[in-house]
Amino acid sequence: MPSNACEFHRDVRNRESVGKVLSLLFQEPVPGQAGHDFGGSTELHPVGVIALGLLSALAVTLPRRFAGLPIIFLLCFIPAGQRVVLATVDFTFIRLLMMVVWFRIYIRREIRPIVWNHLDRAMIAWAVISVLTGTLLGWTLSVFINRAGTAVDAMMVYFFFRMLIRNHHELLSMTTQFLLTSFAVAVFFFIESRTSQNLFSVFGGVPDVTDVRDGRLRCQGAFAHAILAGCFWACLIPLYAMRGFLGKGWSLSIAGGIAAVFIIAMCASSTPVMALGFGMVGAAAFLIRGSLRWLRWLILLWLCVLHFALMKQPVWHLLSRVDVVGGSTGWHRFHLVDKFFAYFHEWWLVGTHGTGHWGPGLHDITNQYVAEGVYGGILRLAAFSATILFAFAGISRSMRLPEAGRAYWLCSWALGTALFMHCMNFIAVSYFEQIVVQWHMVLAVIGSVTLVPGASPTRQLAAMHTGS
């Protein structure tokens, strides 16, 4: 499993050097692959530099409907290990490209007013709380700089896609760009599966030789980890289906879905396969959408019965039994959640410096909900949960709009299914690198094309109709 290194551990290691402290401004946790920690040092490949230059040029010159395409290419074909250090400040390629994108927005006067809702406010609250709790916990400049950099990253991605995608037709354009890119990604995964060599290893940040677990290659391409690569493409499949719902034809959507499923299979990980299964459940639930409220309460009631009456272990012990493709670490996931509750007194206020003392291997935080609490206490976890609740509320309100029509309902449901898949992924893995961008993109799209609470539905619908 990847080791999403604790933010505070890195802060402590760099506390004695002002230069290293400044380098944390634009530094994310690096995946826990031995020998691939590039933070604080320039790691450039000539092809990577050329690619970044070309993508930056495209980001400035392409028509607005293609403004996100350079970001898609960078996420899919350039590993996150590529970075440059200028005056001791560390910049990953995705951050550099996002700066170029916002420069484009400024010089081309493409800032589009948005209808503010509770999801936007929850995102800002999450960013502010992340900075404040980290600073209060560490009381060091390094912690503040690191959290500020992470918050700025999230806001740049979220509000870029919030302005870029204003209606389902603009979302369709972005989805088609992802779909066409998936064919090229599938080719690279096929080559990796046949040769056991990751062609993207020349850039750094990914291993030269593909990881093997229980005799199966776990291909990852340019992504930070095989699990995250599979989850990345699994969560795009509902958006591919949206193309058919909008009458753009099913042939290309089905082909893109097949490519995504192929990538998932090459990752040989349980979590993406489970995400695909949850996606099918979410899609099928459309047929009983009128009864979902009662179904949710029944599921909650059944979990309570299991926890208090039928199971000797707590209900989250069910995580230990998950193993779809073999070699899964379900018991580790259960143990982490179990200790998360046991050590509530330690992290609830502003978080904790680390989790290694909770038990063997528990420095590896493979649960996004646990990570939110560990990094920022109950307030950060609450703000993170609020973004999810408001996003689901936006889907729900859109489904109750009778005059919207079946196509709008199906598209909204596709977004809800993608959101549901991400939420299920969070139980088994904590996000970092490429998939974080996709997560913030999904939230931004929901904020734009659904009726999220906190704003007038009339104004929200008008913004969708006037967006072009």
Side-chain angles (χ1 to χ4, degrees):
M1 294 296 301
S3 176
N4 190 9
C6 182
E7 295 164 276
F8 301 110
H9 284 176
R10 186 176 59 246
D11 297 335
V12 173
R13 290 199 303 268
N14 292 279
R15 190 176 297 174
E16 298 178 356
S17 171
V18 174
K20 291 183 179 179
V21 165
L22 292 176
S23 73
L24 291 173
L25 176 58
F26 292 99
Q27 182 175 334
E28 283 278 351
V30 177
Q33 298 169 348
H36 292 279
D37 186 357
F38 299 102
S41 63
T42 296
E43 185 70 25
L44 295 175
H45 189 278
V47 176
V49 175
I50 295 172
L52 179 63
L54 291 175
L55 294 176
S56 298
L58 290 174
V60 174
T61 59
L62 284 174
R64 184 173 54 79
R65 68 179 181 276
F66 297 120
L69 186 59
I71 298 174
I72 295 174
F73 284 166
L74 184 65
L75 295 177
C76 296
F77 300 116
I78 305 295
Q82 288 286 281
R83 62 191 64 219
V84 60
V85 178
L86 298 174
T88 72
V89 178
D90 190 73
F91 297 89
T92 61
F93 274 18
I94 185 60
R95 291 187 179 91
L96 289 171
L97 187 58
M98 288 306 305
M99 292 177 183
V100 172
V101 166
W102 276 96
F103 175 72
R104 168 219 168 91
I105 292 174
Y106 174 75
I107 63 172
R108 297 183 62 164
R109 301 181 184 275
E110 292 180 342
I111 296 179
R112 306 165 76 186
I114 63 174
V115 179
W116 286 82
N117 55 48
H118 286 336
L119 179 55
D120 302 323
R121 300 179 185 103
M123 282 294 298
I124 294 175
W126 173 86
V128 172
I129 290 171
S130 297
V131 176
L132 290 178
T133 54
T135 304
L136 290 173
L137 176 62
W139 287 107
T140 63
L141 178 63
S142 62
V143 176
F144 172 77
I145 292 175
N146 174 264
R147 293 303 183 86
T150 301
V152 169
D153 288 342
M155 295 298 98
M156 282 198 300
V157 172
Y158 177 81
F159 284 105
F160 167 70
F161 285 108
R162 186 76 166 81
M163 290 190 296
L164 179 68
I165 301 174
R166 298 287 294 274
N167 53 48
H168 286 96
H169 297 288
E170 291 177 340
L171 175 58
L172 172 64
S173 177
M174 175 68 68
T175 299
T176 303
Q177 294 165 36
F178 270 110
L179 191 154
L180 296 175
T181 304
S182 68
F183 297 134
V185 174
V187 171
F188 282 103
F189 270 71
F190 176 76
I191 294 173
E192 185 177 350
S193 69
R194 303 298 294 178
T195 64
S196 303
Q197 301 292 319
N198 191 333
L199 298 180
F200 296 99
S201 63
V202 297
F203 295 107
V206 294
D208 301 335
V209 179
T210 304
D211 183 33
V212 179
R213 175 177 288 180
D214 287 350
R216 300 192 54 169
L217 290 171
R218 309 184 78 194
C219 303
Q220 67 183 83
F223 291 83
H225 193 275
I227 294 176
L228 298 180
C231 291
F232 185 97
W233 293 103
C235 293
L236 285 172
I237 293 178
L239 302 185
Y240 293 172
M242 186 193 67
R243 298 186 77 259
F245 299 149
L246 290 176
K248 300 301 180 180
W250 284 96
S251 298
L252 187 59
S253 298
I254 292 173
I258 293 173
V261 171
F262 174 80
I263 294 171
I264 294 168
M266 293 300 98
C267 295
S269 301
S270 295
T271 303
V273 176
M274 291 292 293
L276 195 59
F278 284 121
M280 294 178 182
V281 171
F286 182 81
L287 301 175
I288 57 170
R289 57 191 180 279
S291 305
L292 275 185
R293 175 173 298 182
W294 297 105
L295 181 61
R296 289 195 298 265
W297 283 109
L298 286 175
I299 292 174
L300 179 61
L301 177 62
W302 176 242
L303 290 175
C304 291
V305 170
L306 288 176
H307 182 80
F308 293 106
L310 299 181
M311 293 181 61
K312 296 181 179 179
Q313 296 278 3
V315 71
W316 48 88
H317 187 263
L318 295 173
L319 293 172
S320 66
R321 305 179 186 180
V322 177
D323 188 358
V324 178
V325 300
S328 181
T329 54
W331 190 88
H332 168 83
R333 294 185 173 102
F334 151 70
H335 194 207
L336 177 66
V337 174
D338 197 48
K339 293 302 181 181
F340 183 63
F341 287 111
Y343 282 86
F344 177 82
H345 64 281
E346 182 178 296
W347 60 264
W348 75 272
L349 185 57
V350 292
T352 182
H353 288 283
T355 58
H357 61 286
W358 289 4
L362 294 189
H363 64 281
D364 186 4
I365 305 177
T366 54
N367 184 305
Q368 187 65 41
Y369 303 108
V370 172
E372 294 296 328
V374 166
Y375 295 154
I378 197 71
L379 286 179
R380 174 164 165 170
L381 178 58
F384 180 76
S385 301
T387 62
I388 296 173
L389 291 175
F390 286 131
F392 275 121
I395 303 295
S396 178
R397 293 178 78 198
S398 298
M399 296 300 298
R400 296 196 301 270
L401 192 66
E403 65 272 20
R406 188 175 180 83
Y408 180 79
W409 293 338
L410 288 169
C411 292
S412 299
W413 197 267
L415 282 171
T417 300
L419 178 64
F420 175 64
M421 293 167 72
H422 279 293
C423 292
M424 294 298 101
N425 290 341
F426 290 154
I427 298 175
V429 66
S430 55
Y431 280 8
F432 54 98
E433 308 299 2
Q434 292 99 326
I435 199 169
V436 175
V437 177
Q438 187 197 87
W439 165 241
H440 290 147
M441 182 198 78
V442 169
L443 289 177
V445 171
I446 291 174
S448 292
V449 305
T450 70
L451 305 180
V452 177
S456 166
T458 303
R459 292 183 60 205
Q460 289 175 312
L461 289 172
M464 294 179 209
H465 292 149
T466 58
S468 61

